[in-house]
Amino acid sequence: MPKLIVDGKEIEVPDGTTLMQACEMAGAEIPRFCYHERLSIAGNCRMCLVEVKGAPKPMASCALSVNDLRPGPNGEPPEVFTDSEVTRKARRGVMEFLLINHPLDCPICDQGGECDLQDQAMGYGSGISRFCEPKRAVEDRYISPLVKTVMTRCIKCTRCVRFIADVAGIGDLGAIGRGENIEITTYLDASLETELQGNIVDLCPVGALTSAPYAFHARPWELRKTETIDVMDAMGSNIRVDAKFDRILRIQPRLHEDINEEWVSDKTRHVWDGLASRRLDRPWIRENGKLREATWDEAFARIHEAFPKDEPGRAAAIAGDLVAAEEAFALKRLMEALGVASVDCRPAHVPLGETGGRAGYLFNATIAGIDEADAILLIGADPRYEASVLNTRIYRAWFDRDVPVGLIGKTIDSPYEYTHIGETPDKLLELAAGNGEFFNVLKDAKRPLIILGMGALMRPDARAIWSAAARLAQECGAVGAEWNGFSILHVAAGLVGALDAGCLPGEGGRDTAGIIEGAKEGEISFVWLLSADEIDVSALGEAFVVYQGSHGDAGAHRADVVLPGAAYTEKDVTYVNMEGRPQMTCRAVLPPGEAREDWAILRRASEELGVPLDFNTMGELRAKLFEAAPGLAHLDAVEKADPAGIAAIAALEGDVADRVPLESPVADFWLTNPVARASRIMNEMSRLRAEARAGREAAE
């Protein structure tokens, strides 16, 4: 391992370490604009210059390997100075050049207060400029409705270009021109076609790229910052919610290496305006076919009157996609107390949780485990739209390590190349029987990864497909003591936590499909919907419907009684991501009006219905939950499931619908839940994406 001396301190570093990394290992601070540890090295800005003893000039530490440094005349380790007069003078010169054409418009720049250029100009600049020539102006480029550009501020660090290419995996952004005339732009000023474009705003070290929806809303020091968890998909991305007074104005990513690294999808980032739109802020009851405002007492009295006390078998409850673990547990406990067995948290036909234990419904390989997989098979999944940040890991595996990717299902628009095995589930049966070229690819791999999407599980033949995927995992060696590659790609943030909490039908109870069918046929007369908007509410027939949730979406429109709940940014609850990692949200703002946290509403309902539950506080509720599911008490820890359960799934029997193609359940990435559908930004992005797709189809 190479040795070197940094500011008089001798250190030993691994081969291939850059000089910048070595200096930071020694405790030195190296300024930079273009360098980012997750992007390829460009060496554009030269701000990271250091003095290397014996070198004719200061060296760019980001692009120089320690292996390239020459030892001293007597074999002593190379010596580096990060704070010498030569280094300070070089950095002052670089900063002076960077500011030659910068407009210096900090008072009107949204980056002000959290700008790398401001910080480093204070720390390493000279405070004066010797240049008095007119500044060069650059025309602003349109690159996206989500990203505002002021290209005169651009310092050509190319972080945005490298992110779009290296992480998002598309070639939509690049540079034109030479020298000082270089400009960052998209091809023909077209909009970026990626669901991760908001991340280039975080990467931009100056104010050239800022968030268009957030523009001129607030200054960073005016915002109250709350660290919490995202629920727009099932990844459990770590986020920071920024609020001013009682209004959320911005959502940004937090670092979590094992989940989202430091990226989030555009839906996660820009859905914040939907948190204040179409909110349910007071109870409503239906009279003469129309909903009217009511008091809590009136709402619970109507529920008490409508509940079939003498026939609890005619009642049912469904938990929706955004329900937290505590809420699903409280709903199950309430229905058990009422004698109701028909309770479910799963979409119609989904068999998860019926057998096989947790191994049957977790992303067992873990999200970070994608970096270890050496062959990947997608079954009825489209990771780009179902889990955009997870898709970056698949792209990285394909691009950096040449990992083969196969797909069973309808073709998808992905940044990586894949082998399209077929559209229908009979191709899965062939692989499970040990036939097909891609079976050999999986068999030869040391860590094969089989990703079963919800598009394969939200079908009448889901149980047979689930079983076939489990058999394939066993046959190709994807299931073992050290590696379990049988993984379910979820799309609902609350499903795994609800399954862990046991929110499933009791003995003789109906599942979601059975509840809907029973309501349609008149066999179910009372349905409690807990944030369940993704089901076909029009099929509930004449049943009395109680809707409990945060937004006036499909469930509220059908309801006979509406109970206003809290959104995910307004409560401290537990969500379990697809890999089985419990994480807790943190309240950023209070619920609006008379809205209350969902667990508290269920506790009050139990009182009004004459079956008071045995908890009065969230702490008491969690104690009961942890007794039933001890793993949920270990926050941010993945408790591996017993892979032996997969054998029970593989033994299931059933027939598949050979001619029905497998396809993703996400028809519109931007409008997948009530919060997103309430967002003006999400609706506009959906419209623009539909128009762009229609234009391409017309051109073809």
Side-chain angles (χ1 to χ4, degrees), residues 73-322:
N74 299 316
E76 60 267 26
E79 195 165 356
V80 179
F81 305 96
T82 66
D83 197 33
S84 65
E85 181 56 35
V86 171
T87 302
R88 290 195 294 269
K89 184 177 179 181
R91 291 173 181 169
R92 283 197 299 269
V94 170
M95 182 60 68
E96 192 174 6
F97 274 118
L98 288 175
L99 295 177
I100 289 175
N101 288 308
H102 196 80
L104 305 179
D105 56 351
C106 301
I108 63 167
C109 178
D110 270 323
Q111 198 86 330
E114 50 189 7
C115 175
D116 291 349
L117 186 61
Q118 281 184 333
D119 296 340
Q120 294 186 42
M122 285 291 294
Y124 303 99
S126 63
I128 61 172
S129 176
R130 292 167 289 178
F131 294 90
C132 57
E133 290 81 9
K135 291 182 179 288
R136 174 179 59 88
V138 180
E139 180 184 356
D140 292 341
R141 296 287 188 173
Y142 173 82
I143 63 174
S144 165
L146 298 177
V147 181
K148 177 186 175 185
T149 61
V150 183
M151 301 312 291
T152 301
R153 301 171 186 159
C154 181
I155 62 171
K156 318 302 186 298
C157 71
T158 68
R159 277 187 180 184
C160 54
V161 175
R162 286 175 285 142
F163 172 84
I164 294 298
D166 298 351
V167 179
I170 62 174
D172 287 3
L173 200 63
I176 58 173
R178 293 175 61 86
E180 72 167 0
N181 295 318
I182 286 179
E183 294 185 40
I184 306 298
T185 182
T186 57
Y187 183 66
L188 296 179
D189 284 345
S191 179
L192 289 171
E193 290 288 334
T194 174
E195 296 70 40
L196 299 163
Q197 57 194 267
N199 292 291
I200 65 177
V201 172
D202 296 336
L203 288 171
C204 184
V206 296
L209 305 176
T210 56
S211 174
Y214 170 71
F216 307 126
H217 274 64
R219 285 298 197 179
W221 54 84
E222 298 177 309
L223 301 174
R224 184 177 64 256
K225 301 171 176 64
T226 306
E227 295 185 348
T228 184
I229 306 301
D230 172 56
V231 300
M232 292 298 109
D233 55 33
M235 284 192 62
S237 297
N238 285 222
I239 59 173
R240 192 190 78 198
V241 174
D242 294 350
K244 184 177 181 181
F245 306 122
D246 62 344
R247 186 182 175 196
I248 293 173
L249 296 179
R250 186 170 66 171
I251 296 176
Q252 293 190 300
R254 283 192 295 131
L255 178 67
H256 196 302
E257 292 289 353
D258 292 334
I259 302 178
N260 59 303
E261 297 178 310
E262 57 188 274
W263 321 122
V264 290
S265 72
D266 291 329
K267 182 165 57 177
T268 294
R269 183 184 297 271
H270 296 292
V271 79
W272 51 266
D273 68 321
L275 289 163
S277 274
R278 295 169 56 182
R279 288 303 305 270
L280 300 174
D281 59 358
R282 67 198 66 189
W284 296 73
I285 60 177
R286 190 176 298 277
E287 287 184 351
N288 300 319
K290 293 184 179 181
L291 289 171
R292 70 164 178 86
E293 296 178 14
T295 65
W296 282 101
D297 289 339
E298 286 179 308
F300 285 122
R302 183 64 63 86
I303 294 171
H304 185 273
E305 178 185 339
F307 184 78
K309 306 171 191 61
D310 298 329
E311 297 180 278
R314 291 177 59 79
I318 300 175
D321 291 355
L322 304 185

Side-chain angles (χ1 to χ4, degrees), residues 478-522:
V479 180
E482 296 183 0
W483 171 259
N484 185 351
F486 181 75
S487 301
I488 307 297
L489 180 60
H490 290 270
V491 294
L495 182 53
V496 173
L499 288 170
D500 284 348
C503 189
L504 292 168
E507 185 176 353
R510 300 169 181 256
D511 60 10
T512 298
I515 292 170
I516 295 172
E517 183 63 25
K520 185 177 181 180
E521 298 296 329

Side-chain angles (χ1 to χ4, degrees), residues 319-391:
D321 291 355
L322 304 185
V323 171
E326 293 91 345
E327 298 157 0
F329 182 72
L331 179 68
K332 176 66 173 178
R333 291 289 297 272
L334 172 60
M335 293 299 138
E336 284 180 337
L338 292 168
V340 177
S342 299
V343 183
D344 205 355
C345 63
R346 304 164 298 179
H349 306 299
V350 172
L352 302 179
E354 291 181 358
T355 188
R358 297 181 85 233
Y361 60 80
L362 292 184
F363 197 92
N364 293 292
T366 73
I367 295 169
I370 296 174
D371 297 336
E372 302 176 26
D374 48 5
I376 300 173
L377 175 64
L378 305 175
I379 305 171
D382 187 352
R384 174 176 175 179
Y385 298 114
E386 296 174 26
S388 301
V389 178
L390 179 144
N391 198 50

Side-chain angles (χ1 to χ4, degrees), residues 651-678:
L652 295 175
E653 297 180 356
D655 298 323
V656 300
D658 292 348
R659 297 184 180 181
V660 181
L662 300 171
E663 62 180 322
S664 171
V666 179
D668 189 333
F669 168 78
W670 305 101
L671 305 175
T672 55
N673 59 63
V675 183
R677 288 190 287 270

Side-chain angles (χ1 to χ4, degrees), residues 508-558:
R510 300 169 181 256
D511 60 10
T512 298
I515 292 170
I516 295 172
E517 183 63 25
K520 185 177 181 180
E521 298 296 329
E523 298 167 1
I524 297 289
S525 62
F526 181 97
V527 181
W528 193 300
L529 301 180
L530 179 56
S531 297
D533 294 277
E534 311 310 319
I535 66 170
D536 183 8
V537 293
S538 65
L540 295 178
E542 299 299 320
F544 185 91
V545 176
V546 177
Y547 176 80
Q548 178 182 340
S550 60
H551 285 72
D553 205 71
H557 292 172
R558 168 62 184 83

